[in-house]
Amino acid sequence: MRGIALLCTATVVALPALAVSSTAQPDNAAKRPNAELHHPKGDETIQVFGHRGASGYRPEHTLASYELAARTGADYIEPDLVSTKDGVLVARHENEISGTTDVAEHPEFADRRTTKVIDGKEVTGWFTEDFTLAELKTLRATERLPELRQRNTVYDGRFEIPTFQEIIELKRELSHELGRRIGIAPEIKHPSYFRSVGLAIEPRVVHALNRNGLNHPHAEVAVQSFEVGNLRWLDRWLRVDLVQLVWSSGAPYDFVESGDPRDYADMVTPSGLREMSEYADWVAPVSTMILPRDEEGYLTEPTSLVSDAHEAGLRVVTYTVRAENAFLPADFRTSADDSAYGDVFGFLRALFGTGVDAVFADQPDIAHHARQEWESHSA
């Protein structure tokens, strides 16, 4: 069984239970057992996670982006979750929204622009937690990378900021229409920060999944976080997959805040991965932790991270595959034009060759086709 022991006492998280359904009880005994210590993938297909929807084609974290991801082959859609002032979960990559909405064009909100410290860094702009849901619904989404995705800007101003509940309802409708279960992979953003301002996200995620009948092992739900303590807390309340996100440098902010000296590099050692498997089902490293690049951006030898994770009983989903040259290793760039598409199929083949179980992709249709080609050649 997945354990609930904390990594160390410094990372204990006492999350409020105010939004957890009164009928829900932590039930670790009912959770499915963690994988045996071997490659857990078996004969299952490589999964495609639509990163922020189909963010290569539509402004990210909009219902239009999520819908397009599902229609073009994504197995999961991925909303990043932040909170409004009135405690409603909405989808934005960051709680600072000047880069993904038209908030700066709303004079009625000019006085909301401020500077805050988020995870130890000063950030200036407009923040979701300073707006009610009704106020956020007056804003419209904009393309976050207009210099690289100019075609997406044609959709600026057309889509609202969606709530988590609206995304769940869209997932349900599309699953019925398309005849296959569309998964959902919510990422909890800045959990320590939101807890510090009285807007803890985790209990609201538990409540939403319970309310929608999605808190069970076959629900196709995978909850993500870059922090650790909140995933360990969620392991007590959820029966869905948990995903530990890791980065190529730094440490989980709850470790930093508590004085825990470990960093992400420690977490992806063989012993760290075994410890991670006590509470998580997946590890999600950035692709450079699997396929490193040299100083000129070319791929070097793969690391052992994927095989080490499989030995620990964890599945591996890597992020983020983007088709534009700007994001690809030098091996797969086709020109000096950063916004032009490179050989993203080649990069996907390189990733699939490492044994990863899933990829996050901004253009999920490309990852879907690459998967089909890979599996047909591997059959």
Side-chain angles (χ1 to χ4, degrees):
M1 305 296 290
R2 288 201 320 225
I4 62 172
L6 292 170
L7 285 173
C8 67
T9 56
T11 60
V12 172
V13 177
L15 291 167
L18 57 94
V20 178
S21 169
S22 59
T23 61
Q25 297 295 326
D27 186 16
N28 253 25
K31 298 182 81 164
R32 60 175 176 76
N34 202 22
E36 298 293 332
L37 296 184
H38 59 72
H39 182 170
K41 181 179 171 185
D43 295 327
E44 293 182 16
T45 187
I46 296 167
Q47 300 286 292
V48 174
F49 286 61
H51 187 238
R52 310 175 196 175
S55 55
Y57 305 123
R58 298 290 186 273
E60 66 188 33
H61 294 310
T62 58
L63 292 181
S65 182
Y66 301 132
E67 179 177 356
L68 185 59
R71 292 190 183 281
T72 55
D75 302 291
Y76 285 78
I77 54 178
E78 188 228 8
D80 293 338
L81 298 182
V82 295
S83 181
T84 67
K85 183 178 182 178
D86 44 350
V88 180
L89 298 182
V90 296
R92 289 290 89 190
H93 177 52
E94 297 290 344
N95 54 327
E96 199 289 297
I97 55 174
S98 61
T100 59
T101 73
D102 60 359
V103 64
E105 300 173 16
H106 286 253
E108 68 273 26
F109 299 135
D111 62 349
R112 308 265 180 108
R113 188 173 188 270
T114 188
T115 298
K116 301 188 179 189
V117 177
I118 311 294
D119 294 354
K121 299 178 181 178
E122 278 197 357
V123 182
T124 298
W126 289 264
F127 298 84
T128 59
E129 65 271 22
D130 296 332
F131 293 79
T132 65
L133 176 62
E135 289 172 331
L136 281 180
K137 283 293 188 179
T138 68
L139 307 180
R140 293 297 179 266
T142 58
E143 171 56 39
R144 187 176 62 89
L145 300 171
E147 69 283 1
L148 293 177
R149 294 173 173 169
Q150 192 272 333
R151 291 183 179 181
N152 291 12
T153 63
V154 72
Y155 296 101
D156 284 358
R158 294 184 174 272
F159 306 128
E160 293 183 355
I161 296 175
T163 66
F164 187 36
Q165 181 61 37
E166 289 170 337
I167 299 164
I168 290 173
E169 291 169 2
L170 175 67
K171 155 192 152 57
R172 183 181 297 121
E173 292 167 4
L174 288 171
S175 295
H176 178 74
E177 177 187 341
L178 299 175
R180 61 185 179 90
R181 288 193 297 183
I182 306 300
I184 190 167
E187 179 188 342
I188 296 172
K189 301 295 292 192
H190 306 297
S192 289
Y193 169 77
F194 275 107
R195 215 159 40 244
S196 74
V197 296
L199 291 169
I201 294 175
E202 294 82 2
R204 293 174 172 86
V205 170
V206 174
H207 179 65
L209 295 180
N210 283 334
R211 184 177 65 229
N212 288 279
L214 293 174
N215 190 3
H216 60 86
H218 305 293
E220 305 293 337
V221 175
V223 180
Q224 312 170 73
S225 178
F226 275 102
E227 294 191 10
V228 175
N230 65 332
L231 288 180
R232 286 188 173 275
W233 185 88
L234 286 166
D235 186 40
R236 298 174 54 215
W237 292 93
L238 293 181
R239 300 180 65 209
V240 302
D241 281 358
L242 300 180
V243 183
Q244 179 66 68
L245 293 154
V246 294
W247 184 245
S248 55
S249 62
Y253 190 68
D254 55 337
F255 281 14
V256 174
E257 201 171 43
S258 67
D260 191 314
R262 290 169 300 167
D263 58 16
Y264 288 124
D266 295 319
M267 293 174 65
V268 296
T269 61
S271 61
L273 290 164
R274 286 193 296 272
E275 191 168 4
M276 189 185 299
S277 70
E278 295 174 2
Y279 63 89
D281 303 276
W282 297 76
V283 59
V286 63
S287 65
T288 55
M289 298 177 76
I290 297 172
L291 291 174
R293 305 179 190 185
D294 64 20
E295 292 180 357
E296 296 182 348
Y298 289 91
L299 294 183
T300 60
E301 289 298 311
T303 69
S304 63
L305 198 160
V306 173
S307 59
D308 291 343
H310 287 161
E311 283 295 319
L314 293 164
R315 298 184 183 187
V316 181
V317 53
T318 189
Y319 63 94
T320 304
V321 177
R322 298 177 167 110
E324 293 87 357
N325 281 317
F327 304 110
L328 291 170
D331 316 59
F332 303 107
R333 295 173 194 156
T334 55
S335 72
D337 182 352
D338 282 347
S339 64
Y341 279 14
D343 181 13
V344 63
F345 280 97
F347 182 47
L348 282 161
R349 285 194 298 271
L351 280 174
F352 294 163
T354 68
V356 298
D357 304 285
V359 295
F360 282 99
D362 281 12
Q363 292 91 0
D365 58 328
I366 296 176
H368 172 67
H369 285 294
R371 169 181 63 185
Q372 289 181 319
E373 290 180 359
W374 176 264
E375 292 179 346
S376 66
H377 292 152
S378 301

